[in-house]
Amino acid sequence: ENGIKDCSDGSDECPPDSTKDTVFSSPFEMIGNRVFRVILWIMGGISLLGNTAVCVMSIMQVRTAKSEPLKVAFLWLVANLSVSDLLMGVYLLSVSAMGSQFYGRYCYHDAEWRSSQTCSILGSLAVISTEVSAFTMATMATIRLFSVYFPVKMTSIKRATYAAPIVCAWCVGTLLGTLPLANYRSGYFVKSAVCMPRLFAKVGDAAWGYSTFIIVLNFCLFVYMACCYLVLYQRSRKVTKAGKSKSTRLLRTVAVMILTNFCCWIPICIMAFISLAGVKLDNIVYVICAGILHPLNSVLNPLIYS
């Protein structure tokens, strides 16, 4: 009636320029798997609400902790971490909302959607969120490590000591996220219906060098953070005078930090390296890594770092 057919009767009715079956989508739905649609809504909601709450509480606590510079430093780092993770929540909810808008007739909007500026911006938002979050967590690990080795100096930490890394994290993260937007022909965001950044690339693919750089960078940041926290625990164990219980609590906290980052990023990095070696990965691997593990840190960070 309105000139738009319902393509739920069969994929043969879809326009020839649409991708009828991609990693995430089906001819009828932008996010083909119903379970995955629910997971994206839940993760997006938790990320948005959780990070908003952490950001507000951290800023409120800054006012009551002015006499403790080190605590103020961590509160500002946590606030910035929550803002960067909040962007992932915006991305997840926006993609889910667009999927609902195209319900039952996605094939008629596929080509237009994946080549749209909105799709590229949402993909860019996901990269900015991930990279700023990673740089902020690395900064937090560094300051924590220094606070153990130089406790007296760090109790009077200067504002520039943590403000400069925060500004750099946002500048570098924003640059990395928006760089692909300068070349729309790279196809960095338009390969999947959910505009997810290309995590797994093969040598010679469009923007494969950029994808590899992002993966290697995040892998190095994870290794650095893991080393910082392991050294921090060993150092704290030697100097603490609070007994075994405090050492055990610290070990538990460090273990959770390392384990969550390991579960989120190491599988993605391993699969990316395997793909670079020329091995073809099943679509379900990409769905799990890009759609669940990639944004999972943004959901868990408010619980861990607050």
Side-chain angles (χ1 to χ4, degrees), residues 119-170:
C119 182
S120 295
I121 290 174
L122 288 177
S124 176
L125 204 64
V127 176
I128 293 172
S129 171
T130 301
E131 298 312 310
V132 174
S133 179
F135 284 123
T136 304
M137 288 189 290
T139 302
M140 294 172 74
T142 304
I143 292 180
R144 278 185 169 132
L145 189 61
F146 272 85
S147 68
V148 174
Y149 276 92
F150 310 102
V152 177
K153 288 184 178 180
M154 294 301 288
T155 52
S156 57
I157 184 173
K158 302 297 183 183
R159 183 176 298 178
T161 305
Y162 58 88
I166 289 174
V167 173
C168 288
W170 279 102

Side-chain angles (χ1 to χ4, degrees), residues 11-295:
S11 61
D12 292 339
E13 297 183 13
C14 292
D17 63 340
S18 70
T19 304
K20 298 181 181 180
D21 190 16
T22 63
V23 176
F24 287 96
S25 64
S26 70
F28 329 113
E29 305 294 343
M30 193 177 92
I31 305 172
N33 188 288
R34 182 177 299 177
V35 174
F36 186 59
R37 288 201 297 270
V38 173
I39 290 175
L40 286 188
W41 276 112
I42 293 174
M43 291 178 67
I46 293 175
S47 178
L48 186 66
L49 295 176
N51 285 294
T52 299
V54 170
C55 182
V56 172
M57 288 189 293
S58 297
I59 293 175
M60 290 176 63
Q61 289 179 44
V62 167
R63 298 179 179 179
T64 60
K66 291 183 178 180
S67 60
E68 303 174 77
L70 186 58
K71 185 176 181 180
V72 170
F74 278 117
L75 287 171
W76 276 117
L77 285 166
V78 170
N80 277 270
L81 179 65
S82 61
V83 172
S84 64
D85 289 332
L86 186 149
L87 296 180
M88 184 63 75
V90 172
Y91 159 80
L92 292 172
L93 292 177
S94 298
V95 166
S96 299
M98 292 304 301
S100 298
Q101 182 178 331
F102 298 143
Y103 179 78
R105 52 192 174 86
Y106 173 67
C107 58
Y108 281 90
H109 302 275
D110 171 63
E112 180 185 359
W113 163 245
R114 288 189 296 108
S115 60
S116 68
Q117 188 176 11
T118 303
C119 182
S120 295
I121 290 174
L122 288 177
S124 176
L125 204 64
V127 176
I128 293 172
S129 171
T130 301
E131 298 312 310
V132 174
S133 179
F135 284 123
T136 304
M137 288 189 290
T139 302
M140 294 172 74
T142 304
I143 292 180
R144 278 185 169 132
L145 189 61
F146 272 85
S147 68
V148 174
Y149 276 92
F150 310 102
V152 177
K153 288 184 178 180
M154 294 301 288
T155 52
S156 57
I157 184 173
K158 302 297 183 183
R159 183 176 298 178
T161 305
Y162 58 88
I166 289 174
V167 173
C168 288
W170 279 102
C171 290
V172 175
T174 302
L175 177 64
L176 291 174
T178 56
L179 199 58
L181 298 179
N183 182 13
Y184 290 101
R185 293 176 298 178
S186 67
Y188 188 67
F189 296 119
V190 303
K191 288 298 180 182
S192 69
V194 297
C195 314
M196 183 63 69
R198 182 180 295 182
L199 298 177
F200 306 148
K202 294 181 181 179
V203 177
D205 287 351
W208 74 271
Y210 182 82
S211 298
T212 303
F213 173 77
I214 294 292
I215 291 295
V216 172
L217 174 64
N218 290 328
F219 178 78
C220 291
L221 287 173
F222 166 76
V223 172
Y224 171 75
M225 284 186 282
C227 291
C228 280
Y229 283 121
L230 288 174
V231 173
L232 182 150
Y233 171 70
Q234 291 296 330
R235 176 68 177 178
S236 298
R237 195 177 180 183
K238 292 179 181 179
V239 301
T240 185
K241 297 178 181 179
K244 187 177 179 180
S245 61
K246 185 173 182 179
S247 180
T248 303
R249 288 198 302 271
L250 178 61
L251 175 61
R252 189 184 300 118
T253 303
V254 169
V256 169
M257 289 177 176
I258 295 176
L259 184 62
T260 52
N261 280 276
F262 179 89
C263 292
C264 293
W265 271 110
I266 293 303
I268 295 176
C269 293
I270 291 174
M271 292 299 106
F273 294 146
I274 291 175
S275 179
L276 280 172
V279 178
K280 182 175 176 59
L281 300 174
D282 191 88
N283 284 347
I284 190 62
V285 175
Y286 185 82
V287 170
I288 293 174
C289 288
I292 298 177
L293 296 181
H294 183 247

